[in-house]
Amino acid sequence: MFDVVSGTTLRFASLVAAVVGTSTYVFGILYVSVPAKASATAVAFEGCGRVSENDPYSVERGRLVAECVAGVRRDQARWVLVGLALLALTAAALYLLTPWWIRRRSRLVPIDGPRFSALTAALRDLSAEAGLRTAPEFLLDPAAGSPGGLAFGHLRRHFVRLNAGLIPLRMTQPAVFRAVVLHELAHLRNRDVDMAYATMALWRAFFAVAMVPILIVTLYPAPGRNYLQSLLDPGLRLAALAVVVYLARNAVLRSRELYADARAAKAGAGEGLRAALARMKPAIGWRRRLGVHPDPQARLGILREPLLLLRPRPAELVETGITTMIAVGALNFFAWTGLGTLASHVTASLAALLIAAMLTAVAWRAEISSARAAVMPAALALGGGLLIGDQLTISNSTSSWGVFGSAPAANQLPLPGSVAIGAFSLTSALVAAVVLVLAIAWQAAISSAGAQAWLPRLRSPSTRAAWLTGATVTAIPLAAWFRIWFDSHTVPFLIGRTYHVVAGPGEQIWTGPLWSALSLTYPPLTLFMALPLAIPVLILAWLYPLAARTATVWPAARTGLFAAATFTAVLLAYRAALHMHAAGLAATEGFAVYYSFSVIAAAVVAMAVAAAATTGLAQGQLAAFLSGIACTAAILGSQLLGGCVTAIQLGSSACALSADWGFTWFLLRHILIQGAIAALLLQALTAATTRLRLAPRIAVMAGVLAAFTLGVGATHATAPPASAPPAPTASAPAAPGDPHKALQTAISGLPPSWIPKPPSESSPSTLDNPACQPLYDEAYGKALDARPHDMATAAYTNNGKLALSTFDITIKTFRSPLDDSPFTQADVAVADCPRFRVTTSSGFEVDITAQKGTAPGIGDKSWRADLTLTSTSGGVDTRARHISVLVRTGQTMIVASMVAVNEPLNDAVLLAAISRAVAVL
């Protein structure tokens, strides 16, 4: 039988976490309940908040705000620490005084002397049977008539109280007497007596020192504070936190009884315990599962199958997740006070270590109890508990609710098409929840793989050193990811959406087939890939279980290298096809970007297939890693070889053995990290199916998938370009057209996915160069509006949820002929404003560069400007392209524009709509 960390210990740790986190929240509220402290805090945060008005998520401004409020934060932290110290001292005093109080209240009598000689000898023998090196002090309760007992004490001095009603059973029912005594001695052998009385002392101190004062403050708020608001916030959250602490307390006390039953049964007291439990009344209602004592039927079940104690229980993991996140909130409060913006690094590292230790313990306990299938449900339950705890943590307030976002984030890059209630995004919350739960599931899977690999190799019954090592090693990648999640999970535009790679100022990208998928980026993943040690960190996770099964290394390596060989063959064929049929396109700088992303995607596919074709999680990750390394080498090698071998040459590269280390690192980061994630997902999808084992099957799958990714690109790259729609013949200016009919015709041909853009309130913006206002507002020929005219206007959007494009068109038909003044004003606007900055009313800054484009040649006269918009918020770069087109046909002026945010701009839609309008006019 292996010795593994007990559930009582884990539950006690959860209780401590819940008490510390909740008490930190309570003492923080009590701090601002003092009028002088509240006034100083309000003044400090109001003044310091102006530092972050432009961009609340800027790292630099976050640092400045942290420095600005450091004085108030430190004072509040000292207040909270004094409160925690007072709570700890109260708990320690209660813990130390409890044994004295029990002896005094019940007037217990020592069991020693000649009259108890036979009983003393029997108790000494039972102590030896229980595995105790030193027998405790046995005491008699003369007034207790029930046949029971109680183990109590503290530190190294422990006692066992025997009721007077139990003593006669030694002669009349020796099995029951023996079972009761061994059960109490089992508490001492399990070392849970100290935890039990520390639990009760901690609960009583928490109630007296934290809950009573906050209850008074909540029910009797300070003058000027709304009473209902005081009850709802923080009243409801405090009530929920108190319930969590209470349930955590009960979980500790229930768990210790079950472990004592199992220990006593192992010593031969099973029959007597069954007889004693048969006399007990079953618990009623909620106490059956959540009370202090476990239900008798549950205790009988443990006697029948002791290994049930080791099986993970989802309900308990939910509670553990809640208490862990509550503690994380408290930890982040103190870390922020001392470390400012570095707080999340410390908090995430410690939180990840706690989560990894919990999941590793769960995996080892499940492996020992042959309940491997219970690991993943337990991990999902833990993830759910973390999300619930995220709503209770002290980091939240009335304007910030964890994964649901916050009021400041509501004005930052709003999510088109997402479901939101006020400032809180439900869509972003769902994405953030899924991302966290997937990370927890990955941690559980790797912990389970470690338990499966290392448990058969252990020579000692103790598993603690092995699972602690596993928890420490695998916590490193979890800490890196959890920090990014923790920093971004309250910001919907970071956690809740993806973006696209777009061309920068003066750049061109060939947006061929699948580009929308190839160019996808996800901010948390981008931040993770930017970590200098991201790749070694990922290797650590699967290296731990693999180290126990070195015999499986070569088959996994062979699979990965075979997949990479297939990828190499497809890659060379891809380059050869491009050279033969699309040499001109392949030589352009815009196609080089498309080529790089397409071969990265193909390499990621090869890694995923290699992993799915390998048995075992760690072995699959090794196969994927080696495949990724070899695929990267193949990409770089094909580029070097392309300069020397004409058949696979792209562009005019020279035949020279030189390496671009920046590009090499770019390939490694994107291929190995994205490939590892894709491998995990494909391994999960194929877990219930027959594993691919044969190298030919690997070659076929890798070849088909990689060839599809590269082949589609090659096919479209070598196809003749589609002809542009013919421009309609300019209409004679003899009679003005109908702008409404022209507008309906223009929008009738829009793609089905485009819908009318909902009306929105326009907020004033500030330009650093006021002369650029006509260009920004597209107010060319504003003076013409004084003439009599008819106007029709429309605005449409592609309703993108991951990225967004909008299309606006305004058609004005005048009663008199038009001149070229609007075109002159447009030329002047672009020439005078090649670069300017716009600051929105919410403080969002956008840098704009403008240049005159090629006129589309529609109507009597046309003009075009190309603008590039860039901004940075929260460390994430956002880019957009904006084209503005001005067309005159007869006595009608058309102003149309299209904006594409983080996706390619399809100007063909715009030009086709204008052409349809001109044809009608």
Side-chain angles (χ1 to χ4, degrees):
M1 180 67 179
F2 287 98
D3 179 25
V4 69
V5 61
S6 76
T8 306
T9 302
L10 297 176
R11 289 170 179 82
F12 181 73
S14 295
L15 171 67
V16 173
V19 169
V20 172
T22 303
S23 299
T24 301
Y25 180 53
V26 168
F27 296 135
I29 294 175
L30 292 176
Y31 174 86
V32 296
S33 298
V34 178
K37 303 292 187 182
S39 176
T41 302
V43 170
F45 276 86
E46 182 180 357
C48 297
R50 298 191 185 98
V51 178
S52 61
E53 283 179 349
N54 288 339
D55 186 359
Y57 296 97
S58 166
V59 175
E60 175 63 19
R61 291 189 177 92
R63 183 186 64 79
L64 294 176
V65 171
E67 294 177 354
C68 183
V69 300
V72 172
R73 283 280 198 174
R74 280 193 291 267
D75 188 52
Q76 187 179 21
R78 285 192 291 267
W79 176 285
V80 172
L81 286 174
V82 169
L84 291 176
L86 180 60
L87 189 150
L89 290 174
T90 304
L94 291 173
Y95 170 75
L96 294 174
L97 291 174
T98 297
W100 168 83
W101 175 248
I102 292 175
R103 296 181 65 182
R104 184 180 185 278
R105 181 188 59 182
S106 302
R107 299 180 180 178
L108 303 181
V109 178
I111 299 178
D112 56 13
R115 61 174 179 162
F116 293 119
S117 58
L119 179 59
T120 302
L123 295 175
R124 189 181 302 112
D125 292 341
L126 288 175
S127 298
E129 287 185 43
L132 298 175
R133 295 181 180 179
T134 304
E137 298 182 42
F138 289 93
L139 304 172
L140 178 65
D141 187 347
S146 61
L150 177 69
F152 65 98
H154 58 72
L155 300 177
R156 295 186 178 275
R157 189 179 184 188
H158 295 106
F159 308 89
V160 174
R161 184 196 72 192
L162 302 180
N163 294 350
L166 178 67
I167 304 303
L169 298 185
R170 176 171 170 264
M171 305 302 297
T172 60
Q173 299 182 51
V176 174
F177 173 83
R178 187 169 181 273
V180 172
V181 175
L182 283 176
H183 175 88
E184 299 305 327
L185 294 173
H187 283 303
L188 299 176
R189 180 65 180 82
N190 290 340
R191 300 184 181 90
D192 64 36
V193 172
D194 293 325
M195 271 190 288
Y197 286 94
T199 294
M200 293 306 301
L202 199 57
W203 164 254
R204 290 163 180 161
F206 166 75
F207 188 81
V209 177
M211 293 309 298
V212 170
I214 198 62
L215 186 62
I216 296 173
V217 169
T218 302
L219 295 178
Y220 301 96
R225 180 175 172 82
N226 184 277
Y227 185 76
L228 181 60
Q229 182 182 0
S230 177
L231 287 179
L232 295 178
D233 186 44
L236 289 179
R237 186 178 300 179
L238 286 170
L241 290 171
V243 169
V244 169
V245 175
Y246 175 76
L247 295 179
R249 183 205 74 162
N250 290 358
V252 176
L253 301 179
R254 283 197 311 273
S255 176
R256 69 186 291 264
E257 297 298 333
L258 296 175
Y259 275 88
D261 285 343
R263 176 77 69 176
K266 185 179 178 182
E271 181 180 350
L273 284 172
R274 291 185 185 91
L277 291 171
R279 300 176 181 177
M280 293 185 178
K281 295 181 180 181
I284 301 175
W286 64 271
R287 292 183 179 86
R288 184 175 181 182
R289 293 185 178 274
L290 303 176
V292 173
H293 289 282
D295 184 70
Q297 291 301 318
R299 299 178 70 172
L300 289 171
I302 294 300
L303 294 179
R304 288 190 298 268
E305 182 54 66
L307 287 178
L308 288 175
L309 281 172
L310 301 181
R311 294 187 180 179
R313 301 179 184 274
E316 295 171 351
L317 270 296
V318 169
E319 180 186 333
T320 300
I322 294 173
T323 57
T324 299
M325 192 57 84
I326 292 172
V328 167
L331 179 62
N332 192 59
F333 170 80
F334 289 110
W336 181 267
T337 302
L339 302 174
T341 55
L342 295 177
S344 61
H345 293 267
V346 177
T347 301
S349 299
L350 294 177
L353 185 59
L354 289 174
I355 296 171
M358 177 64 64
L359 289 174
T360 306
V362 165
W364 280 77
R365 287 156 58 85
E367 189 68 23
I368 293 172
S369 60
S370 302
R372 188 181 301 170
V375 173
M376 200 52 65
L380 298 179
L382 179 64
L386 291 170
L387 292 169
I388 296 173
D390 179 58
Q391 300 307 305
L392 298 176
T393 180
I394 66 174
S395 301
N396 294 331
S397 64
T398 53
S399 63
S400 176
W401 284 92
V403 294
F404 292 100
S406 60
N411 296 322
Q412 301 285 323
L413 289 180
L415 308 177
S418 65
V419 180
I421 299 177
F424 306 121
S425 170
L426 303 184
T427 305
S428 173
L430 178 61
V431 175
V434 169
V435 169
L436 176 65
V437 170
L438 287 178
I440 298 298
W442 147 253
Q443 183 68 29
I446 207 69
S447 299
S448 182
Q452 297 172 39
W454 283 102
L455 195 60
R457 299 178 64 89
L458 294 181
R459 299 179 181 178
S460 168
S462 176
T463 65
R464 298 192 178 189
W467 76 258
L468 279 174
T469 301
T472 304
V473 171
T474 58
I476 297 175
L478 181 63
W481 180 252
F482 187 79
R483 180 186 68 81
I484 294 173
W485 182 88
F486 190 75
D487 282 347
S488 62
H489 80 286
T490 61
V491 188
F493 68 83
L494 288 180
I495 194 73
R497 66 180 295 172
T498 58
Y499 296 85
H500 286 270
V501 175
V502 296
E507 297 177 348
Q508 292 291 332
I509 296 179
W510 188 70
T511 55
L514 303 179
W515 176 247
S516 293
L518 296 175
S519 62
L520 273 178
T521 62
Y522 184 51
L525 181 59
T526 302
L527 294 173
F528 183 80
M529 288 192 296
L531 297 176
L533 298 178
I535 295 174
V537 156
L538 279 179
I539 295 174
L540 270 179
W542 52 260
L543 198 60
Y544 163 69
L546 194 66
R549 293 181 174 176
T550 54
T552 62
V553 170
W554 169 239
R558 184 175 54 198
T559 301
L561 294 177
F562 207 96
T566 305
F567 166 83
T568 303
V570 175
L571 175 65
L572 294 176
Y574 178 40
R575 292 180 65 97
L578 290 173
H579 177 77
M580 292 176 60
H581 303 289
L585 173 63
T588 63
E589 183 179 350
F591 183 80
V593 178
Y594 176 86
Y595 171 82
S596 298
F597 279 90
S598 63
V599 296
I600 287 174
V604 167
V605 169
M607 288 179 63
V609 173
T614 308
T615 303
L617 176 64
Q619 291 79 2
Q621 285 294 299
L622 172 63
F625 173 75
L626 294 177
S627 174
I629 291 290
C631 288
T632 304
I635 295 172
L636 296 172
S638 66
Q639 287 187 332
L640 295 176
L641 190 62
C644 303
V645 179
T646 306
I648 59 173
Q649 187 178 40
L650 301 180
S652 57
S653 55
C655 182
L657 295 179
S658 60
D660 184 346
W661 295 112
F663 181 65
T664 302
W665 178 237
F666 170 83
L667 285 178
L668 280 174
R669 286 190 295 114
H670 282 72
I671 291 176
L672 294 183
I673 296 176
Q674 295 182 57
I677 295 173
L680 281 171
L681 295 176
L682 192 56
Q683 281 181 296
L685 290 175
T686 58
T689 60
T690 304
R691 300 284 185 180
L692 301 177
R693 299 176 185 276
L694 302 178
R697 290 185 181 183
I698 302 166
V700 171
M701 285 197 68
V704 169
L705 292 173
F708 173 78
T709 304
L710 298 180
V712 170
T715 301
H716 285 258
T718 57
S723 57
T729 305
S731 58
D738 183 354
H740 301 282
K741 182 179 178 181
L743 179 67
Q744 291 301 319
T745 304
I747 62 178
S748 64
L750 292 177
S753 59
W754 287 71
I755 63 174
K757 187 169 63 173
S760 59
E761 296 182 2
S762 59
S763 56
S765 301
T766 303
L767 278 65
D768 61 348
N769 183 0
C772 299
Q773 195 74 45
L775 178 62
Y776 180 68
D777 294 336
E778 296 179 327
Y780 319 121
K782 197 72 173 177
L784 294 177
D785 290 348
R787 300 184 185 182
H789 66 277
D790 294 330
M791 184 178 73
T793 184
Y796 275 71
T797 174
N798 64 355
N799 198 32
K801 292 181 172 56
L802 304 179
L804 178 69
S805 289
T806 60
F807 163 61
D808 295 85
I809 182 170
T810 298
I811 304 177
K812 298 178 182 179
T813 299
F814 295 84
R815 306 297 170 80
S816 58
L818 301 176
D819 55 24
D820 291 342
S821 60
F823 297 94
T824 304
Q825 294 174 17
D827 284 335
V828 172
V830 172
D832 290 347
C833 299
R835 180 181 296 273
F836 59 99
R837 171 172 292 184
V838 177
T839 304
T840 66
S841 59
S842 62
F844 197 57
E845 295 180 349
V846 181
D847 291 317
I848 301 178
T849 59
Q851 60 183 4
K852 186 177 179 180
T854 302
I858 304 174
D860 299 333
K861 187 177 182 64
S862 60
W863 174 91
R864 169 174 172 165
D866 294 325
L867 290 79
T868 301
L869 294 73
T870 59
S871 66
T872 301
S873 183
V876 175
D877 293 330
T878 303
R879 288 185 175 183
R881 287 190 61 199
H882 178 183
I883 60 172
S884 180
V885 175
L886 189 63
V887 173
R888 188 196 72 205
T889 177
Q891 295 173 203
T892 300
M893 189 69 69
I894 302 175
V895 180
S897 65
M898 177 174 282
V899 179
V901 181
N902 287 314
E903 69 177 4
L905 190 148
N906 189 359
D907 58 353
V909 172
L910 174 72
L911 299 178
I914 297 175
S915 297
R916 288 191 295 269
V918 168
V920 172
L921 294 168

